[in-house]
Amino acid sequence: SGSMWLYRWYYSNACQRALNFTIFLILALAFIETPSSFTRTADVRYRSLRWEPPCGLTEAVEGLCLLVFMADVTVKCYLVGRAQFQKNVWLLAYITVLAVSVVDWTVSLGLLCQEPLRVRRLLRPFFLLQNSSMMKKTLKCIRWSLPEMASVGLLLLIHLCLFTVLGVLLFTGEVQDEQQRKERLTYFRDLLEAFTSLLVLLTTANNPDVMMPAYSKNRAYAIFFIVFTLIGSLFLMNLLTAIIYNQFRGYLMKSLQTSLFRRRLGIRAAYEVLCSMTGAGAPQAVGVMPQDFLQVLQKAQLGSSHKQAIMQKVRSFDETLLSADEFQKVFREVDRGVIIEHPPRPWYPSPFLQSAQFLVGHHYFDYLGNLIALGNLVSICVFLVLDEDVEPRDRDDFVLEVLNCAFVLYYLLELLLKVFALGLQGYLSYPSNLFDGLLTSVLLVLEVATLAVYRFPHRGWKPEARGLLSMWDMTRLVNMLIVLRFLRIIPSMKLVAVAASTILVLIRNLRAFGGILVVVYYVFAILGINLFRGTIVAPGNSSLALTNGSVHCGSFEQLEYWANNFDDFAAALITLWNVMVVNNWQVFLDAYRRYAGRWSQIYFVSWWLVSSVIWVNLFLALLLENFLHRWDPRSHEQPLSGTHV
Amino acid sequence: SGSMWLYRWYYSNACQRALNFTIFLILALAFIETPSSFTRTADVRYRSLRWEPPCGLTEAVEGLCLLVFMADVTVKCYLVGRAQFQKNVWLLAYITVLAVSVVDWTVSLGLLCQEPLRVRRLLRPFFLLQNSSMMKKTLKCIRWSLPEMASVGLLLLIHLCLFTVLGVLLFTGEVQDEQQRKERLTYFRDLLEAFTSLLVLLTTANNPDVMMPAYSKNRAYAIFFIVFTLIGSLFLMNLLTAIIYNQFRGYLMKSLQTSLFRRRLGIRAAYEVLCSMTGAGAPQAVGVMPQDFLQVLQKAQLGSSHKQAIMQKVRSFDETLLSADEFQKVFREVDRGVIIEHPPRPWYPSPFLQSAQFLVGHHYFDYLGNLIALGNLVSICVFLVLDEDVEPRDRDDFVLEVLNCAFVLYYLLELLLKVFALGLQGYLSYPSNLFDGLLTSVLLVLEVATLAVYRFPHRGWKPEARGLLSMWDMTRLVNMLIVLRFLRIIPSMKLVAVAASTILVLIRNLRAFGGILVVVYYVFAILGINLFRGTIVAPGNSSLALTNGSVHCGSFEQLEYWANNFDDFAAALITLWNVMVVNNWQVFLDAYRRYAGRWSQIYFVSWWLVSSVIWVNLFLALLLENFLHRWDPRSHEQPLSGTHV
């Protein structure tokens, strides 16, 4: 019973939340540790000296986190038991990672934080990974699809190599022409250069450029590039998507089924236990006494609405014993979606108030509100168009400010009327009202603050900046909030609302994938910091960087990508994002090859493979899976067929 | 029986092929008509004066084509019958299009080909469309998914508009800084400009650039752009993919099922007819006489191997009547895949020849051939690497030429040995051998020609160019063919071979989609020629084009995209392809806005919507459908369940 207590305590909400917070904390340390991300900009030209945490600060937090993890691993080992423990690879890896981290932490403290390499920073994402069963499952799924992906990858490699050799042979003929010479010198100078050009063309990031010099010479050369893109980008890359989707198809379904199966098994076990307790005296009448059931139910952790529904059902059995089948059926309630019941509207005695309540409660009133919000948006747009050539300091905001005041007053009125019609409880039970009300109150506070600081608006009203925000910034903030408030119209359009709700459901289901993305980003960012920290040097400070006059178009320097570096964690994340989006990534390849060396291309290409090829396809696969599951009419008729135990 | 004869004649292979050729011919006219595509390059700077066909040449061909179509439509109307004819929208449209084309053609001849607009060129793709039932079906499928796509499109539009207003509000604060000013002036000058910037960002074509100035000022601004891309590019765009896939899921399956159903129905009808013919005398024994069956079968159009198999089956029934069930079963043979039987190997009396035959026929001999091909590829690569800094005219090709001669001799030996081992018939029955043999003979001819013209190679061997191709071009051509010959290794790697064969099957299934792509490209190219012909003017000839010194980086002029114009049909196709690939399409938007006016953006954005958004997603959907159908283990167990009549 001691271990039972430990088990319950360990899987209690509070304990799990504490563990999650610890994981979040140790991951967030990367922003604070040397090199910290606390500068206004990441641009090497304008970056101020960064604040560095004193030695021991982050290490103390990290030490605490590691202590929590040690407690966690001890409890887990105890709960799993010796026999299971030796088979559990994840648990063994957890202990190893923890040991390495502690050793590295000790070394770090011993060297007074001057150590050149921190291995434990690379290992941190493991703590996130091992704590989520969904992420482990997803990893397994990815591992299963690796062989098929490797086959397409090999095909892709053959495709690339063949076209590289063909391209080099094609574009190194007798140089009769300036254009052909240019093609050769820019994109097909040697095999490696040609391979890189075509690899980038596979992502279409240098599409018209790479074909332009040759195509300008002769139309027929375009065929080479179009055939390459057709086979590579359209066929082979999409085949990768298909393979990943094939692996993940039914993934959601399967995981739903297994969790349902486990629950059914648990219910059946509970029935057997309760049965043996009551049925000891009368062996011929097998079943569960409703009173026993209710007693147990009181202590069980369940959503209150579900608990209420189950209790009501059980009470209807009176004194008769529940059979196994009935026992299972009672728990079907848990599978049902929760229907939020809105509290009843307040009743007003006066007929005038009653009709007012009817008017406000009618959905035409909502439409009116939407129309007013649209009007407000249009008025802001009109002023933006009118003022577009005027410098911000010369703008006369009198009319706009008066209009905004009027609109905010209307929003306030709408809020009050709705509270009057639905009651405060009823008003808050709608999420859309919550969103509306929150924004309206923030808007009200901002407007009142503006009026308090800058007085009533009048013509030619150009107050100086006072306090935290200038008048102009206040207005801008108000306007932005109004624009956001306009989102309330989405639920009014049925098809759009369905699409929007699909996305919201998707985001909830995507946590495991988000976790894997965090892990991948974290590892690559830390790696990038270790490899490339300080390689990008501000122009003028470096002999490598060309002077401003001679930079050629399309280079890192001309495009002023100075902020895309690996000098701290936040900057590294943004740089990785920009490479993941793939557009213009050849600029990064080129710049880091010049600044850091040719080997840096391996880092960027592997990041492209992991993020853009695997992760984006994974995302698409999950989106398709979720979407088809949701919109498929069959899935609603028999939501989880074949899982009824 | 006259109409029966007409029906058979109309649907005969010869007649249908003639019709298809006519369609191809009328579509291909676009390359020849004024402005013809017969120039070496499409680049406005280097383009020579184009050859223009004399008035009446293309018109005569077109007139002949129109006559064929008129005959076609008459036969179709007669075969369909009056009742069906009035309901058949496609047929009515066919007649209308034909009438308009004829009128336009007459006007064109009347004005001696000087007419400003040719409506019939826009209408030509209709002839392709109406001739393919698959394409009509696909169009119907697209039309069904339009409402759902419109809902996501609306969501996308709201997303774009909100972020446009937010962006303009965000980046027009008090100008404290050069960077923020730059962001405002470059990408967020006014609402329309901001909308365009964000629309381009939705396709990620200006990804790091658009965020750089603001991000250089403050890290936090990156969040605005990342959130925009996340919602727009990852969620909403992929939702479009999911919607289209959802609509096309089971599309292939359904079309297979209906064609199978029709065939079964036809077989059943044939049974009934044959039954009534034989069963007239003996009503108690209902069935088909095998002799009657065989007689009918002789005249039926069927693949010869299938016919053989069915005949064999029918003969096994001897004189007993075939019941309906047996009759159906006999036709199952048609569903079976054709197994190509290789002819038996020739038999040689001498034991030495027999063992030689065994050695050459063994698959290790194929591996040896692959190895040699790989060695040849490696030798070419080695020489490319060695010679990469040498100008082509200074290269010494002696060793490479000798090596190539040796390799080609080996290939010839391999070919002869295989013919010896398998017999000529047996050798040709493998498609891989066909591919090999063809390339080997071409290589042999080239080598012999080289030796005949330039004599045997020796050190310092640098012959002058003689005849059609220079020595160097000959070598290049040989090398390229050798590289292509290397593709024979693909079938040796099992997983790669599966992926490759999936793609080959896919290409066969994609004809309908290819047809729709042709239609879309054709219509947009003709539109583009009418709208933008001559707007791009070579630098120096135009007052609009900036002089070479002052072009700014990333502009149409600096990138030298001069060949991307709409001055003739072939050039228009390549330009549309480059916009479809999406990368750098903002350059086109910007250039055509400057040269032709703001309205040109509508053309490019609608092309982006049609090609990149709808067609590429359609392609992905079909690829997924085909792929899952092929790799799904269930689809092999019961290939077409539920369709057995």
Side-chain angles (χ1 to χ4, degrees):
Chain A
S1 76
S3 61
M4 193 63 198
W5 176 84
L6 189 64
Y7 182 88
R8 288 208 169 164
W9 176 79
Y10 180 73
Y11 283 105
S12 70
N13 275 336
C15 196
Q16 287 297 310
R17 267 184 207 149
L19 194 61
N20 286 338
F21 177 73
T22 315
I23 292 171
F24 168 77
L25 200 66
I26 202 168
L27 287 178
L29 274 183
F31 287 103
I32 306 164
E33 285 176 329
T34 317
S36 78
S37 305
F38 292 134
T39 55
R40 198 180 174 79
T41 168
D43 194 318
V44 287
R45 291 169 300 173
Y46 311 120
R47 195 173 55 201
S48 53
L49 257 172
R50 57 176 93 239
W51 172 81
E52 295 299 347
C55 180
L57 179 68
T58 59
E59 279 74 11
V61 176
E62 197 170 7
L64 285 177
C65 291
L66 290 178
L67 276 179
V68 171
F69 290 136
M70 275 190 257
D72 175 49
V73 83
T74 322
V75 172
K76 256 191 187 152
C77 288
Y78 176 73
L79 287 179
V80 160
R82 176 179 289 271
Q84 280 288 312
F85 166 71
Q86 280 162 346
K87 276 187 255 163
N88 197 328
V89 184
W90 280 100
L91 213 50
L92 289 174
Y94 192 8
I95 293 173
T96 319
V97 167
L98 209 51
V100 171
S101 297
V102 169
V103 169
D104 192 54
W105 182 78
T106 327
V107 170
S108 191
L109 273 190
L111 292 173
L112 293 170
C113 318
Q114 298 299 315
E115 78 285 6
L117 187 71
R118 292 185 179 188
V119 184
R120 65 181 190 279
R121 289 178 77 177
L122 268 178
L123 295 176
R124 274 180 203 157
F126 182 83
F127 299 126
L128 178 64
L129 211 57
Q130 61 81 26
N131 200 38
S132 151
S133 60
M134 270 304 268
M135 278 164 74
K136 288 183 207 166
K137 264 188 218 164
T138 310
L139 271 190
K140 210 190 269 172
C141 243
I142 294 175
R143 214 173 49 204
W144 282 338
S145 52
L146 277 184
E148 288 175 4
M149 279 166 70
S151 73
V152 176
L154 202 60
L155 208 58
L156 210 56
L157 196 71
I158 293 174
H159 168 71
L160 259 174
C161 289
L162 284 189
F163 270 83
T164 303
V165 178
L166 280 181
V168 172
L169 285 170
L170 203 63
F171 298 115
T172 44
E174 304 269 2
V175 180
Q176 308 139 331
D177 195 286
E178 193 54 34
Q179 290 295 329
Q180 199 163 7
R181 192 193 189 89
K182 197 170 162 190
E183 180 79 43
R184 188 168 83 80
L185 288 182
T186 323
Y187 299 108
F188 290 91
R189 203 171 52 233
D190 53 64
L191 280 178
L192 200 59
E193 189 76 31
F195 187 82
T196 315
S197 295
L198 289 179
L199 182 70
V200 173
L201 183 59
L202 203 64
T203 64
T204 73
N206 59 355
N207 177 254
D209 305 274
V210 74
M211 70 154 77
M212 268 309 128
Y215 176 56
S216 279
K217 167 111 176 42
N218 193 324
R219 287 171 193 269
Y221 283 126
I223 296 169
F224 175 82
F225 296 100
I226 289 179
V227 168
F228 177 83
T229 313
L230 263 180
I231 300 179
S233 262
L234 275 178
F235 279 96
L236 292 176
M237 286 306 230
N238 284 336
L239 206 58
L240 274 180
T241 311
I243 285 172
I244 293 181
Y245 175 62
N246 191 29
Q247 198 59 253
F248 274 79
R249 205 163 48 131
Y251 165 82
L252 185 76
M253 202 61 154
K254 246 185 267 164
S255 79
L256 270 180
Q257 281 179 355
T258 47
S259 80
L260 208 77
F261 179 76
R262 280 188 198 161
R263 192 197 287 163
R264 292 270 153 88
L265 206 69
I267 291 170
R268 180 77 204 195
Y271 170 77
E272 295 294 340
V273 170
L274 285 173
C275 217
S276 66
M277 277 165 65
T278 51
Q284 66 275 38
V286 179
V288 175
M289 290 291 283
Q291 301 99 298
D292 296 344
F293 191 3
L294 287 176
Q295 268 182 351
V296 174
L297 204 63
Q298 292 288 1
K299 288 186 195 160
Q301 281 184 17
L302 255 176
S304 62
S305 63
H306 284 143
K307 205 183 253 185
Q308 288 295 334
I310 291 177
M311 279 177 148
Q312 222 161 17
K313 267 212 160 178
V314 172
R315 284 209 191 91
S316 68
F317 280 94
D318 263 351
E319 291 294 305
T320 54
L321 289 177
L322 274 79
S323 71
D325 216 36
E326 284 163 343
F327 192 80
Q328 295 273 18
K329 256 185 201 155
V330 162
F331 277 97
R332 292 257 170 96
E333 290 294 325
V334 179
D335 296 337
R336 291 224 179 111
V338 185
I339 300 151
I340 299 165
E341 278 179 23
H342 301 292
R345 297 181 172 192
W347 187 80
Y348 297 102
S350 135
F352 170 72
L353 285 181
Q354 274 179 7
S355 55
Q357 188 181 24
F358 172 77
L359 277 179
V360 172
H362 200 270
H363 57 264
Y364 279 162
F365 188 69
D366 281 333
Y367 292 162
L368 180 69
N370 290 342
L371 210 70
I372 300 266
L374 182 67
N376 198 348
L377 191 67
V378 168
S379 79
I380 292 174
C381 286
V382 165
F383 277 92
L384 279 178
V385 171
L386 286 178
D387 287 350
E388 67 187 26
D389 298 324
V390 187
E391 280 283 300
R393 66 191 65 211
D394 302 330
R395 292 185 190 174
D396 186 2
D397 289 323
F398 169 64
V399 185
L400 181 58
E401 185 64 15
V402 169
L403 269 177
N404 272 351
C405 273
F407 278 118
V408 170
L409 279 181
Y410 172 79
Y411 297 150
L412 184 66
L413 187 72
E414 193 190 54
L415 191 155
L416 292 176
L417 280 176
K418 275 198 174 168
V419 169
F420 150 76
L422 303 171
L424 191 61
Q425 290 270 318
Y427 181 77
L428 294 179
S429 69
Y430 293 92
S432 63
N433 280 345
L434 217 64
F435 174 75
D436 255 24
L438 206 72
L439 278 183
T440 305
S441 12
V442 173
L443 279 175
L444 194 71
V445 168
L446 275 176
E447 281 293 330
V448 168
T450 312
L451 291 183
V453 177
Y454 300 103
R455 300 299 153 78
F456 278 99
H458 46 83
R459 280 224 167 269
W461 180 63
K462 266 177 258 161
E464 288 298 297
R466 280 187 230 173
L468 201 66
L469 287 165
S470 78
M471 167 64 212
W472 166 248
D473 286 334
M474 291 278 234
T475 319
R476 273 206 301 159
L477 199 59
V478 167
N479 285 342
M480 284 187 207
L481 289 177
I482 287 172
V483 170
L484 280 184
R485 197 175 174 282
F486 180 69
L487 281 178
R488 57 174 265 172
I489 68 149
I490 285 181
S492 316
M493 290 178 286
K494 195 156 168 279
L495 269 174
V496 177
V498 170
S501 69
T502 306
I503 288 182
L504 288 182
V505 167
L506 189 66
I507 290 175
R508 226 181 300 150
N509 286 339
L510 271 181
R511 273 170 306 172
F513 286 79
I516 286 183
L517 189 67
V518 168
V519 169
V520 170
Y521 259 94
Y522 203 96
V523 170
F524 269 85
I526 297 287
L527 257 181
I529 292 175
N530 283 329
L531 293 174
F532 301 116
R533 192 180 161 193
T535 44
I536 298 290
V537 187
N541 296 348
S542 153
S543 57
L544 277 161
L546 303 152
T547 52
N548 209 30
S550 67
V551 292
H552 66 94
C553 282
S555 68
F556 191 85
E557 293 82 8
Q558 180 266 320
L559 292 166
E560 301 195 331
Y561 282 181
W562 300 107
N564 286 312
N565 53 45
F566 289 92
D567 289 355
D568 53 59
F569 191 70
L573 289 182
I574 304 281
T575 310
L576 287 178
W577 165 266
N578 282 334
V579 177
M580 175 173 153
V581 172
V582 153
N583 190 62
N584 264 7
W585 73 299
Q586 75 274 25
V587 175
F588 294 85
L589 277 179
D590 174 65
Y592 280 89
R593 196 187 62 201
R594 278 186 286 120
Y595 286 107
R598 202 147 247 243
W599 52 269
S600 66
Q601 295 194 338
I602 298 167
Y603 174 84
F604 284 103
V605 171
S606 54
W607 171 245
W608 166 68
L609 278 177
V610 169
S611 70
S612 189
V613 176
I614 297 186
W615 195 86
V616 170
N617 279 329
L618 212 66
F619 180 85
L620 181 59
L622 200 82
L623 194 140
L624 281 174
E625 177 68 32
N626 265 280
F627 181 82
L628 297 183
H629 185 72
R630 198 176 157 77
W631 282 32
D632 192 359
R634 277 171 299 174
S635 72
H636 290 292
E637 282 164 27
Q638 32 180 351
L640 293 154
S641 60
T643 57
H644 296 289
V645 180
Chain B
S1 73
S3 61
M4 193 64 200
W5 176 85
L6 191 64
Y7 181 88
R8 287 212 170 162
W9 177 79
Y10 181 71
Y11 283 105
S12 69
N13 276 336
C15 197
Q16 287 297 310
R17 267 185 207 147
L19 195 59
N20 287 337
F21 177 73
T22 315
I23 293 171
F24 168 76
L25 200 66
I26 203 170
L27 288 178
L29 274 183
F31 287 103
I32 305 163
E33 285 176 328
T34 319
S36 79
S37 306
F38 293 135
T39 55
R40 197 180 173 80
T41 168
D43 195 318
V44 288
R45 293 169 299 175
Y46 311 120
R47 197 173 53 203
S48 54
L49 256 172
R50 57 177 93 241
W51 172 80
E52 295 299 346
C55 180
L57 179 68
T58 60
E59 279 74 11
V61 176
E62 197 170 7
L64 285 178
C65 290
L66 289 178
L67 275 180
V68 172
F69 290 135
M70 275 189 260
D72 176 49
V73 84
T74 322
V75 172
K76 256 193 189 151
C77 287
Y78 175 74
L79 288 178
V80 160
R82 179 178 289 271
Q84 280 288 313
F85 167 69
Q86 280 162 346
K87 278 186 252 162
N88 198 329
V89 184
W90 279 100
L91 213 49
L92 290 174
Y94 191 8
I95 293 172
T96 320
V97 166
L98 209 51
V100 172
S101 296
V102 169
V103 169
D104 193 54
W105 181 78
T106 326
V107 169
S108 191
L109 273 190
L111 292 174
L112 293 170
C113 318
Q114 297 299 316
E115 78 285 5
L117 188 70
R118 293 185 180 187
V119 185
R120 66 180 190 282
R121 289 179 76 176
L122 268 177
L123 295 177
R124 273 180 205 157
F126 182 83
F127 299 125
L128 178 63
L129 210 58
Q130 62 81 27
N131 200 38
S132 151
S133 60
M134 269 305 267
M135 278 165 74
K136 289 183 205 163
K137 264 188 217 164
T138 310
L139 271 190
K140 208 190 269 174
C141 243
I142 295 175
R143 214 173 49 205
W144 281 337
S145 52
L146 276 183
E148 287 175 4
M149 279 166 69
S151 74
V152 176
L154 202 60
L155 207 58
L156 210 55
L157 196 71
I158 293 175
H159 169 70
L160 259 175
C161 288
L162 284 189
F163 271 84
T164 302
V165 178
L166 281 181
V168 172
L169 284 170
L170 202 64
F171 297 114
T172 44
E174 304 268 2
V175 180
Q176 306 139 331
D177 195 283
E178 193 53 34
Q179 291 295 328
Q180 199 160 9
R181 191 194 191 88
K182 197 169 161 190
E183 179 80 43
R184 188 167 82 79
L185 288 182
T186 323
Y187 299 107
F188 290 91
R189 204 170 53 234
D190 52 64
L191 280 178
L192 199 59
E193 188 77 31
F195 186 82
T196 314
S197 295
L198 289 180
L199 182 71
V200 174
L201 182 59
L202 203 65
T203 64
T204 72
N206 59 356
N207 177 257
D209 306 273
V210 73
M211 70 153 78
M212 269 308 127
Y215 176 56
S216 278
K217 166 111 177 42
N218 192 325
R219 287 171 192 269
Y221 283 127
I223 296 169
F224 174 82
F225 296 100
I226 290 179
V227 168
F228 177 83
T229 313
L230 263 181
I231 300 179
S233 261
L234 275 178
F235 280 97
L236 292 176
M237 287 306 229
N238 284 336
L239 206 58
L240 274 180
T241 312
I243 284 172
I244 293 180
Y245 175 62
N246 192 28
Q247 198 60 253
F248 274 79
R249 205 162 48 131
Y251 165 81
L252 185 76
M253 200 63 152
K254 245 184 270 165
S255 79
L256 271 181
Q257 281 179 356
T258 46
S259 80
L260 208 76
F261 179 76
R262 280 187 198 162
R263 190 196 293 163
R264 292 270 154 88
L265 206 68
I267 292 169
R268 181 75 205 197
Y271 170 77
E272 294 294 338
V273 170
L274 285 173
C275 218
S276 65
M277 276 164 64
T278 51
Q284 65 275 41
V286 179
V288 174
M289 290 292 282
Q291 300 98 298
D292 297 345
F293 192 2
L294 287 175
Q295 268 181 350
V296 174
L297 205 61
Q298 292 288 4
K299 288 185 195 160
Q301 282 184 16
L302 255 176
S304 63
S305 62
H306 284 145
K307 207 183 250 184
Q308 287 297 334
I310 292 176
M311 278 178 149
Q312 220 161 18
K313 266 212 158 177
V314 173
R315 284 210 188 91
S316 69
F317 279 93
D318 263 349
E319 291 294 304
T320 53
L321 291 176
L322 275 80
S323 70
D325 215 37
E326 285 164 344
F327 193 81
Q328 294 273 15
K329 257 185 200 155
V330 163
F331 278 97
R332 291 256 170 95
E333 289 294 324
V334 179
D335 296 337
R336 293 228 178 108
V338 185
I339 300 152
I340 300 165
E341 278 180 24
H342 301 292
R345 298 182 172 191
W347 187 81
Y348 297 102
S350 135
F352 170 73
L353 285 180
Q354 273 179 9
S355 55
Q357 187 182 23
F358 173 77
L359 276 179
V360 173
H362 200 270
H363 57 266
Y364 280 161
F365 188 68
D366 282 333
Y367 292 162
L368 179 69
N370 290 342
L371 211 69
I372 300 267
L374 182 67
N376 197 349
L377 191 67
V378 168
S379 79
I380 292 174
C381 286
V382 165
F383 277 92
L384 280 177
V385 171
L386 286 178
D387 288 349
E388 67 188 24
D389 298 324
V390 187
E391 281 283 299
R393 67 190 66 211
D394 302 330
R395 292 185 190 176
D396 186 2
D397 289 324
F398 169 63
V399 185
L400 181 59
E401 185 64 15
V402 169
L403 269 178
N404 273 351
C405 273
F407 278 118
V408 170
L409 279 181
Y410 173 81
Y411 298 152
L412 184 66
L413 187 71
E414 194 190 55
L415 192 153
L416 292 176
L417 279 177
K418 275 198 174 168
V419 170
F420 151 76
L422 302 170
L424 191 62
Q425 289 271 317
Y427 181 79
L428 293 178
S429 69
Y430 293 92
S432 63
N433 281 345
L434 219 63
F435 174 77
D436 254 24
L438 207 71
L439 278 182
T440 305
S441 16
V442 173
L443 279 175
L444 195 69
V445 168
L446 275 176
E447 281 292 330
V448 168
T450 312
L451 291 184
V453 177
Y454 300 102
R455 301 297 153 80
F456 278 101
H458 46 83
R459 281 223 167 267
W461 181 61
K462 263 175 262 165
E464 287 299 296
R466 280 188 229 173
L468 201 66
L469 287 165
S470 78
M471 167 68 213
W472 165 249
D473 284 334
M474 291 279 233
T475 319
R476 272 206 301 160
L477 199 60
V478 168
N479 285 342
M480 282 187 205
L481 289 177
I482 288 172
V483 170
L484 279 183
R485 196 175 175 284
F486 180 69
L487 280 177
R488 57 174 266 173
I489 67 150
I490 285 181
S492 315
M493 290 178 285
K494 194 153 169 281
L495 270 174
V496 176
V498 170
S501 69
T502 307
I503 288 181
L504 288 182
V505 167
L506 190 66
I507 290 174
R508 225 180 302 151
N509 286 339
L510 271 180
R511 272 171 307 173
F513 287 78
I516 286 183
L517 189 67
V518 168
V519 169
V520 170
Y521 259 93
Y522 204 96
V523 170
F524 269 85
I526 297 287
L527 258 181
I529 291 174
N530 283 329
L531 292 174
F532 302 115
R533 191 180 162 193
T535 44
I536 298 290
V537 187
N541 297 347
S542 154
S543 57
L544 277 162
L546 302 152
T547 53
N548 207 31
S550 68
V551 292
H552 66 92
C553 282
S555 68
F556 191 85
E557 292 82 9
Q558 182 265 318
L559 291 167
E560 302 195 330
Y561 282 0
W562 301 108
N564 286 312
N565 53 45
F566 289 92
D567 289 356
D568 53 59
F569 192 70
L573 289 183
I574 304 282
T575 311
L576 288 178
W577 165 266
N578 281 334
V579 177
M580 175 174 155
V581 172
V582 154
N583 191 60
N584 265 6
W585 72 300
Q586 76 274 23
V587 176
F588 294 86
L589 277 179
D590 174 65
Y592 280 89
R593 197 187 62 203
R594 278 186 288 120
Y595 286 107
R598 202 149 247 245
W599 52 268
S600 65
Q601 295 194 336
I602 298 167
Y603 175 82
F604 285 103
V605 170
S606 55
W607 171 245
W608 167 68
L609 278 176
V610 170
S611 71
S612 187
V613 175
I614 296 186
W615 195 85
V616 170
N617 279 328
L618 212 66
F619 181 85
L620 180 58
L622 199 83
L623 194 140
L624 281 174
E625 178 66 31
N626 266 281
F627 180 83
L628 297 182
H629 184 73
R630 199 175 157 77
W631 281 34
D632 193 358
R634 276 171 300 174
S635 72
H636 290 292
E637 283 166 26
Q638 32 180 349
L640 293 154
S641 59
T643 57
H644 295 289
V645 180

